[in-house]
Amino acid sequence: MNCKELYEGLGHIAIHTRDMEESIRFYERIGGTLQKKDVIPTPDGDKLLALVDFAGATLELIQSPVPAPMTEGNIPHIAVYVRDVDAAAAALREAGVDTFMTEEKVVLPNLFGGLENWFFTGPSGEQIELLHML
């Protein structure tokens, strides 16, 4: 199957933030709308997440418990919606992609109402997320 046929559109653009509430206020001030907030517990503390609708795109704001470096390229990944994460990964493998970051997709049944995803990298190290909301 052709990889392009499996894509449903842009899922979100992830952005690291130093201060989640300040970032939410900023995007709301310039016309964005908070959709959801969530938390992922990590060994270093809670990772805060928020989905913000902004100018027709969804931003995933991420505040890590250990601050991420804020340099050029603080957009850690782009997400692409797919109908079937496994089928999309298989098609990408057939197309020669061998840079998946985990052996299997990740299923997070409680995050943002449930999702499954699988990350791979592009030739310059950019991370691309195959995303299906449950």
Side-chain angles (χ1 to χ4, degrees), residues 55 67 74 109 111:
N74 73 337
L111 184 63

Side-chain angles (χ1 to χ4, degrees), residues 40-47 64-67:
I40 297 177
T42 75
D44 295 321
D46 287 343
K47 181 184 284 190
S64 296
V66 177

Side-chain angles (χ1 to χ4, degrees), residues 111-129:
L111 184 63
F112 297 133
L115 63 85
E116 57 185 26
N117 65 10
W118 210 337
F119 285 85
F120 64 99
T121 59
S124 297
E126 66 275 19
Q127 293 184 17
I128 302 162
E129 175 185 10

Side-chain angles (χ1 to χ4, degrees), residues 21-94:
E21 294 306 316
E22 178 182 24
S23 291
I24 291 170
R25 284 192 303 273
F26 171 79
Y27 283 103
E28 287 178 331
R29 189 170 61 246
I30 62 171
T33 303
L34 176 65
Q35 295 174 345
K36 297 179 184 179
K37 290 170 67 173
D38 219 323
V39 174
I40 297 177
T42 75
D44 295 321
D46 287 343
K47 181 184 284 190
L48 307 179
L49 303 171
L51 297 177
V52 175
D53 178 48
F54 176 68
T58 299
L59 306 179
E60 179 186 36
L61 303 177
I62 303 169
Q63 182 180 336
S64 296
V66 177
M70 297 292 179
T71 59
E72 285 186 53
N74 73 337
I75 296 176
H77 69 267
I78 60 170
V80 178
Y81 283 127
V82 295
R83 287 184 286 284
D84 183 323
V85 171
D86 294 307
L92 288 165
R93 281 195 171 95
E94 286 178 23

